[in-house]
mmCIF file of all heavy atoms in Angstrom:
data_model
loop_
_atom_site.group_PDB
_atom_site.id
_atom_site.type_symbol
_atom_site.label_atom_id
_atom_site.label_comp_id
_atom_site.label_asym_id
_atom_site.label_seq_id
_atom_site.Cartn_x
_atom_site.Cartn_y
_atom_site.Cartn_z
ATOM 1 N N LYS A 21 5.234 14.068 4.120
ATOM 2 C CA LYS A 21 4.974 14.108 2.679
ATOM 3 C C LYS A 21 6.111 13.493 1.874
ATOM 4 O O LYS A 21 5.907 13.044 0.756
ATOM 5 C CB LYS A 21 4.724 15.543 2.221
ATOM 6 C CG LYS A 21 3.431 16.107 2.716
ATOM 7 C CD LYS A 21 3.202 17.510 2.214
ATOM 8 C CE LYS A 21 1.889 18.046 2.762
ATOM 9 N NZ LYS A 21 1.583 19.372 2.252
ATOM 10 N N GLU A 22 7.315 13.461 2.430
ATOM 11 C CA GLU A 22 8.463 12.890 1.722
ATOM 12 C C GLU A 22 8.498 11.365 1.817
ATOM 13 O O GLU A 22 9.295 10.729 1.155
ATOM 14 C CB GLU A 22 9.777 13.447 2.288
ATOM 15 C CG GLU A 22 9.942 14.939 2.140
ATOM 16 C CD GLU A 22 9.196 15.740 3.222
ATOM 17 O OE1 GLU A 22 8.951 15.207 4.318
ATOM 18 O OE2 GLU A 22 8.837 16.890 2.944
ATOM 19 N N HIS A 23 7.646 10.787 2.639
ATOM 20 C CA HIS A 23 7.650 9.343 2.836
ATOM 21 C C HIS A 23 6.778 8.657 1.789
ATOM 22 O O HIS A 23 6.095 9.303 1.003
ATOM 23 C CB HIS A 23 7.185 9.016 4.250
ATOM 24 C CG HIS A 23 8.231 9.314 5.270
ATOM 25 N ND1 HIS A 23 8.255 8.736 6.504
ATOM 26 C CD2 HIS A 23 9.309 10.146 5.244
ATOM 27 C CE1 HIS A 23 9.283 9.186 7.197
ATOM 28 N NE2 HIS A 23 9.934 10.051 6.445
ATOM 29 N N HIS A 24 6.808 7.334 1.799
ATOM 30 C CA HIS A 24 6.152 6.537 0.766
ATOM 31 C C HIS A 24 5.264 5.470 1.385
ATOM 32 O O HIS A 24 5.573 4.952 2.459
ATOM 33 C CB HIS A 24 7.208 5.846 -0.108
ATOM 34 C CG HIS A 24 8.173 6.795 -0.710
ATOM 35 N ND1 HIS A 24 9.288 7.258 -0.030
ATOM 36 C CD2 HIS A 24 8.200 7.392 -1.911
ATOM 37 C CE1 HIS A 24 9.956 8.098 -0.806
ATOM 38 N NE2 HIS A 24 9.318 8.194 -1.951
ATOM 39 N N VAL A 25 4.203 5.124 0.674
ATOM 40 C CA VAL A 25 3.344 4.021 1.078
ATOM 41 C C VAL A 25 3.173 3.087 -0.112
ATOM 42 O O VAL A 25 3.332 3.481 -1.267
ATOM 43 C CB VAL A 25 1.962 4.491 1.586
ATOM 44 C CG1 VAL A 25 2.100 5.319 2.847
ATOM 45 C CG2 VAL A 25 1.198 5.246 0.524
ATOM 46 N N SER A 26 2.856 1.848 0.194
ATOM 47 C CA SER A 26 2.535 0.885 -0.858
ATOM 48 C C SER A 26 1.207 0.230 -0.487
ATOM 49 O O SER A 26 0.803 0.236 0.676
ATOM 50 C CB SER A 26 3.635 -0.169 -0.999
ATOM 51 O OG SER A 26 3.713 -0.964 0.165
ATOM 52 N N ARG A 27 0.549 -0.309 -1.465
ATOM 53 C CA ARG A 27 -0.728 -0.982 -1.236
ATOM 54 C C ARG A 27 -0.713 -2.296 -1.986
ATOM 55 O O ARG A 27 -0.368 -2.344 -3.173
ATOM 56 C CB ARG A 27 -1.882 -0.115 -1.724
ATOM 57 C CG ARG A 27 -3.241 -0.793 -1.626
ATOM 58 C CD ARG A 27 -4.372 0.197 -1.821
ATOM 59 N NE ARG A 27 -5.652 -0.458 -1.940
ATOM 60 C CZ ARG A 27 -6.349 -0.983 -0.936
ATOM 61 N NH1 ARG A 27 -5.848 -0.939 0.289
ATOM 62 N NH2 ARG A 27 -7.517 -1.557 -1.147
ATOM 63 N N TYR A 28 -1.094 -3.384 -1.313
ATOM 64 C CA TYR A 28 -1.223 -4.660 -1.990
ATOM 65 C C TYR A 28 -2.482 -4.618 -2.850
ATOM 66 O O TYR A 28 -3.559 -4.251 -2.374
ATOM 67 C CB TYR A 28 -1.329 -5.821 -0.995
ATOM 68 C CG TYR A 28 -1.666 -7.113 -1.701
ATOM 69 C CD1 TYR A 28 -0.681 -7.794 -2.400
ATOM 70 C CD2 TYR A 28 -2.955 -7.612 -1.724
ATOM 71 C CE1 TYR A 28 -0.974 -8.957 -3.092
ATOM 72 C CE2 TYR A 28 -3.265 -8.764 -2.410
ATOM 73 C CZ TYR A 28 -2.269 -9.439 -3.095
ATOM 74 O OH TYR A 28 -2.566 -10.576 -3.782
ATOM 75 N N CYS A 29 -2.354 -4.999 -4.093
ATOM 76 C CA CYS A 29 -3.485 -5.081 -5.011
ATOM 77 C C CYS A 29 -3.520 -6.489 -5.594
ATOM 78 O O CYS A 29 -2.521 -6.965 -6.135
ATOM 79 C CB CYS A 29 -3.368 -4.044 -6.125
ATOM 80 S SG CYS A 29 -3.350 -2.349 -5.534
ATOM 81 N N LYS A 30 -4.650 -7.142 -5.435
ATOM 82 C CA LYS A 30 -4.761 -8.516 -5.928
ATOM 83 C C LYS A 30 -4.610 -8.551 -7.451
ATOM 84 O O LYS A 30 -4.878 -7.558 -8.136
ATOM 85 C CB LYS A 30 -6.068 -9.139 -5.475
ATOM 86 C CG LYS A 30 -7.299 -8.384 -5.887
ATOM 87 C CD LYS A 30 -8.529 -8.972 -5.234
ATOM 88 C CE LYS A 30 -9.739 -8.117 -5.600
ATOM 89 N NZ LYS A 30 -10.950 -8.616 -4.988
ATOM 90 N N PRO A 31 -4.177 -9.669 -7.991
ATOM 91 C CA PRO A 31 -3.939 -9.772 -9.440
ATOM 92 C C PRO A 31 -5.148 -9.403 -10.296
ATOM 93 O O PRO A 31 -4.987 -8.861 -11.383
ATOM 94 C CB PRO A 31 -3.551 -11.240 -9.628
ATOM 95 C CG PRO A 31 -2.952 -11.634 -8.316
ATOM 96 C CD PRO A 31 -3.753 -10.878 -7.280
ATOM 97 N N SER A 32 -6.341 -9.648 -9.805
ATOM 98 C CA SER A 32 -7.532 -9.320 -10.604
ATOM 99 C C SER A 32 -7.743 -7.808 -10.723
ATOM 100 O O SER A 32 -8.589 -7.366 -11.499
ATOM 101 C CB SER A 32 -8.778 -9.972 -10.002
ATOM 102 O OG SER A 32 -9.017 -9.482 -8.695
ATOM 103 N N ALA A 33 -6.976 -7.017 -9.969
ATOM 104 C CA ALA A 33 -7.076 -5.555 -10.045
ATOM 105 C C ALA A 33 -6.156 -4.975 -11.115
ATOM 106 O O ALA A 33 -6.061 -3.764 -11.260
ATOM 107 C CB ALA A 33 -6.756 -4.937 -8.689
ATOM 108 N N VAL A 34 -5.495 -5.850 -11.872
ATOM 109 C CA VAL A 34 -4.604 -5.403 -12.952
ATOM 110 C C VAL A 34 -5.318 -5.605 -14.280
ATOM 111 O O VAL A 34 -5.808 -6.698 -14.571
ATOM 112 C CB VAL A 34 -3.274 -6.194 -12.938
ATOM 113 C CG1 VAL A 34 -2.361 -5.733 -14.066
ATOM 114 C CG2 VAL A 34 -2.585 -6.051 -11.587
ATOM 115 N N GLY A 35 -5.390 -4.539 -15.050
ATOM 116 C CA GLY A 35 -6.068 -4.595 -16.341
ATOM 117 C C GLY A 35 -5.243 -5.297 -17.402
ATOM 118 O O GLY A 35 -4.075 -5.640 -17.195
ATOM 119 N N ARG A 36 -5.825 -5.492 -18.551
ATOM 120 C CA ARG A 36 -5.151 -6.154 -19.680
ATOM 121 C C ARG A 36 -3.899 -5.398 -20.125
ATOM 122 O O ARG A 36 -2.971 -5.980 -20.657
ATOM 123 C CB ARG A 36 -6.098 -6.295 -20.854
ATOM 124 C CG ARG A 36 -7.208 -7.246 -20.603
ATOM 125 C CD ARG A 36 -8.094 -7.392 -21.802
ATOM 126 N NE ARG A 36 -9.246 -8.205 -21.465
ATOM 127 C CZ ARG A 36 -10.272 -8.367 -22.240
ATOM 128 N NH1 ARG A 36 -10.315 -7.768 -23.420
ATOM 129 N NH2 ARG A 36 -11.272 -9.118 -21.864
ATOM 130 N N ASN A 37 -3.903 -4.088 -19.892
ATOM 131 C CA ASN A 37 -2.753 -3.278 -20.296
ATOM 132 C C ASN A 37 -1.647 -3.267 -19.243
ATOM 133 O O ASN A 37 -0.636 -2.598 -19.406
ATOM 134 C CB ASN A 37 -3.211 -1.849 -20.584
ATOM 135 C CG ASN A 37 -3.863 -1.187 -19.382
ATOM 136 O OD1 ASN A 37 -3.972 -1.783 -18.313
ATOM 137 N ND2 ASN A 37 -4.306 0.035 -19.559
#
Side-chain angles (χ1 to χ4, degrees):
K21 290 182 181 183
E22 298 81 25
H23 285 202
H24 304 84
V25 296
S26 66
R27 175 167 171 76
Y28 172 77
C29 299
K30 57 188 176 181
S32 62
V34 179
R36 292 182 187 171
N37 59 1

